[in-house]
């Protein structure tokens, strides 16, 4: 069983920055791709970014150039550094991973950007 715990969400003004963390219950090295998704009220959960064990990254076009995903395998933690935040970034941010064909998610952390 994989357990994921997100933290770092907050209320921030537009143009500000936040860093989200996702702590995993076991070595994320074995979990291959780690993902960040987000879900705004009344909307579907959308892909934000992913990172492989070798450090390869992919970003949604809406966050590319503003967000950076990284991982610390020694700490079993994945990060999402967010800069130049916009009101449309307001959402609950989830860390997720697929293992043996099953998605595992954390409880989410709320990011609210005020304009």
């Amino acid at each position: 069983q994989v357990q994921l715990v997100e933290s770092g969400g907050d209320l921030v003004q537009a143009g500000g920055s936040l860093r989200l963390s996702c702590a995993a219950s076991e070595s994320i090295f074995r979990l291959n791709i780690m993902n960040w998704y987000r879900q705004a009220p009344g909307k579907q959960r959308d892909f934000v970014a992913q990172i492989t064990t070798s450090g390869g990254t992919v970003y949604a076009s809406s966050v590319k150039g503003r967000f950076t995903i990284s991982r610390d395998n020694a700490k079993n933690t994945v990060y999402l550094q967010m800069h130049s935040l916009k009101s449309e970034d307001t959402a609950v941010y989830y860390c997720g991973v697929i293992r043996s064909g099953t998605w595992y998610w954390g409880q989410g952390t709320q990011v609210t950007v005020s304009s």
Side-chain angles (χ1 to χ4, degrees):
Q1 190 82 5
V2 176
Q3 292 183 331
L4 304 168
V5 179
E6 302 96 334
S7 61
D10 206 345
L11 171 64
V12 63
Q13 290 189 333
S17 300
L18 279 176
R19 188 178 80 157
L20 307 182
S21 299
C22 170
S25 59
E26 63 180 85
S27 172
I28 59 175
F29 182 81
R30 295 193 299 271
L31 298 180
N32 199 13
I33 297 174
M34 297 295 295
N35 302 272
W36 283 100
Y37 277 68
R38 65 186 181 186
Q39 188 167 18
K43 296 188 176 181
Q44 66 182 17
R45 190 171 297 187
D46 290 329
F47 170 78
V48 175
Q50 66 179 205
I51 185 167
T52 68
T53 52
S54 60
T57 58
V58 178
Y59 295 93
S61 58
S62 59
V63 306
K64 198 169 185 179
R66 299 188 298 122
F67 291 9
T68 302
I69 188 171
S70 62
R71 63 194 295 160
D72 185 334
N73 291 335
K75 295 183 178 179
N76 297 341
T77 301
V78 175
Y79 303 98
L80 186 68
Q81 179 69 55
M82 306 184 294
H83 295 296
S84 302
L85 284 162
K86 306 174 182 179
S87 57
E88 51 263 45
D89 295 319
T90 295
V92 178
Y93 283 71
Y94 296 92
C95 177
V97 63
I98 297 177
R99 189 178 189 189
S100 301
T102 300
W103 271 99
Y104 293 89
W105 301 99
Q107 84 289 347
T109 186
Q110 176 71 48
V111 172
T112 303
V113 183
S114 63
S115 56

